Amino acid sequence: MYVMTIDQRGSSADVDRVPELLAELAGLSTAGRFERSVGDEVQGVVERPDEVVDIALHALRSGRWYVGVGVGVVDQPLPASPREGSGPAFVAARAAVEKAKSGAAHVPIAVVSGGLRRGEAAPSPAGSAGARACANAEAVLRLIGRLVQDRTAAQWKVVDVLRSVQHGHAGTHGTQKIAAQELGITEQSVSRALLRSGWQEEWAARPAAEMLLAFAHGVIAADDDARGQPADRNPDAGGPQNPDTRPRDSTEGDR
């Protein structure tokens, strides 16, 4: 499982943006449920790595959120409210969002492995297989997040229109032309905006981030099995046996 803790940046000098974020997240996850956990923070449990990537990049887009991802076991059965959940992945998510706030990175996202220390939930120790796997996923998410964070408003306008066109158009051929017509600009302007925005690079790299998250989950679950701890992929525990690790189509957009 993946537990995500997302905390508002600079909330003391800003309005409460949690309700708006919760409404947006409702359309990004098929099973994950997010709630306000405390203050200006939201938390949710997500089963699929592709949805973790979608949610993380959506939150990073505005520059208003710190994003923490905890990977590992959650205690079963899952409660109705994420605020009542427990287990190593929840502890890791807390450590991850605090790491994202550290200011060491331009892109405020962190991925932390959840493990056990002396029988109690704790982030996996540095250098462990789970910690290394999560660090790899974090590195790729930060690279993609940098592209997303640095886009201008004009570039986002083009990207958003093109994505909406693709959702309602069979195939990708000619979508830039349709987007240009909707925006009232030339195809060349659309092409330049996409090139400068790094949009193609983002969608080419998303499957890599998804696979690294899935790999980290598998490493951590295997380690939990080796320790004799119940993993959330255990069919008797009510969790998913095999998270969807298939890379999604990364050919969005005109080539």
Side-chain angles (χ1 to χ4, degrees), residues 30 49 64 74 78 84 94 98 110 112 125 133 178 182 184 228 234:
T30 57
R64 297 190 177 109
V74 298
L78 280 173
E84 300 173 359
R94 168 58 51 199
E98 294 303 324
V112 172
I178 298 171
E182 289 198 13
N234 186 330

Side-chain angles (χ1 to χ4, degrees), residues 142-162:
R142 283 186 171 178
L143 286 173
I144 306 172
R146 181 66 178 265
L147 292 173
V148 168
Q149 246 184 199
D150 290 352
R151 277 187 196 136
T152 66
Q155 290 167 354
W156 270 117
K157 187 175 182 179
V158 172
V159 167
D160 287 339
V161 169
L162 187 62

